[in-house]
Amino acid sequence: MSTDELTGVQALERAAPGLPLRPGQVERREFEYVRHGTRSFMINFDVVSGQVVCPSCGPTRTEADFLAHIRQTVASDPTATRWHFVADNLNTHCSESLVRYVAEVESLSEASLGIKEKRGILQSMATRAAFLSEATHRIVFHYTPKHGSWLNQVEIWLGILVRKLLRRGSFTSVEDLRDQVLAFIAYFNRTMAKPYKWTYQGKPLHV
């Protein structure tokens, strides 16, 4: 699962309907709008099937929100023997609560984790990330290099969401925003989902 968040998504309602395409005229959108608040989306992109799996939506993107998102994703398929999550280096992606959850899944004692900012696995972001990256665990996190979050394939999908829905949409409430995004995900999974094929060959880039 390639995982990331799209935060601060605004539910903007256009003050007037847009004008559709006509011969010699591009589509035009009303520039005045009414704000109805924001929502944050947490998205899993299955790199094998190309589908979006177990999306989450809420008013915030906190440590607790991300943990709930991971719990929900893992619970969606009890038959899976191992989960691999590709994520960037955001602090909520290697939090204390996430370490405690993985330790619980691995039947490790809390005493073996140490104390946050003092010692043991919980001591720092680096020690927590190392624990969460352990390949023998049932839930494994793979962190993209710093300044390399573009390597996370979910970023490609989030660009599609922005271009095809969010930038062009009109939303009467945050609930309408959530419903339209979930409807778009269902449509995408049904009609457009496919694995992405990397075209970059790993050659150095020259100016």
Side-chain angles (χ1 to χ4, degrees):
M1 294 295 167
S2 178
T3 303
D4 201 9
E5 300 93 349
L6 188 63
T7 61
V9 180
Q10 298 188 76
L12 301 180
E13 181 181 5
R14 304 293 170 180
L19 297 178
L21 288 168
R22 293 186 302 173
Q25 179 68 61
V26 299
E27 178 190 46
R28 288 181 290 179
R29 295 192 298 274
E30 171 63 43
F31 66 90
E32 291 187 349
Y33 52 79
V34 179
R35 298 175 187 268
H36 294 293
T38 62
R39 280 294 178 267
S40 294
F41 294 90
M42 297 186 185
I43 301 295
N44 299 314
F45 179 78
D46 185 340
V47 300
V48 176
S49 69
Q51 293 190 330
V52 174
V53 179
C54 294
S56 301
C57 174
T60 58
R61 179 206 58 186
T62 64
E63 175 180 328
D65 294 327
F66 187 69
L67 175 60
H69 174 71
I70 295 299
R71 282 184 178 273
Q72 167 187 289
T73 305
V74 172
S76 71
D77 187 359
T79 65
T81 57
R82 180 163 286 123
W83 289 88
H84 292 274
F85 291 96
V86 180
D88 60 28
N89 294 274
L90 191 67
N91 57 355
T92 56
H93 296 164
C94 47
S95 65
E96 177 182 3
S97 58
L98 194 59
V99 168
R100 292 190 182 280
Y101 168 59
V102 173
E104 176 189 329
V105 171
E106 295 297 315
S107 301
L108 301 177
S109 67
E110 287 198 8
S112 67
L113 301 180
I115 300 175
K116 187 176 181 180
E117 298 181 353
K118 290 187 178 181
R119 57 180 171 79
I121 293 168
L122 293 175
Q123 181 176 4
S124 66
M125 278 188 63
T127 57
R128 295 193 296 272
F131 173 80
L132 292 168
S133 302
E134 174 54 54
T136 60
H137 290 166
R138 185 183 168 216
I139 302 171
V140 185
F141 285 83
H142 304 268
Y143 297 103
T144 57
K146 288 185 178 180
H147 310 295
S149 61
W150 58 271
L151 292 167
N152 201 347
Q153 290 192 6
V154 71
E155 299 284 358
I156 301 172
W157 189 88
L158 291 174
I160 293 172
L161 176 67
V162 170
R163 290 193 305 274
K164 291 188 176 293
L165 177 67
L166 299 180
R167 191 178 293 161
R168 304 161 64 91
S170 179
F171 311 100
T172 58
S173 65
V174 289
E175 291 77 20
D176 182 40
L177 170 63
R178 176 201 61 207
D179 293 345
Q180 287 199 45
V181 169
L182 294 179
F184 176 81
I185 289 172
Y187 174 78
F188 176 89
N189 286 345
R190 205 168 54 244
T191 63
M192 293 186 282
K194 63 179 181 180
Y196 295 141
K197 182 179 180 181
W198 290 117
T199 56
Y200 177 56
Q201 300 298 315
K203 298 177 182 178
L205 301 176
H206 297 283
V207 178

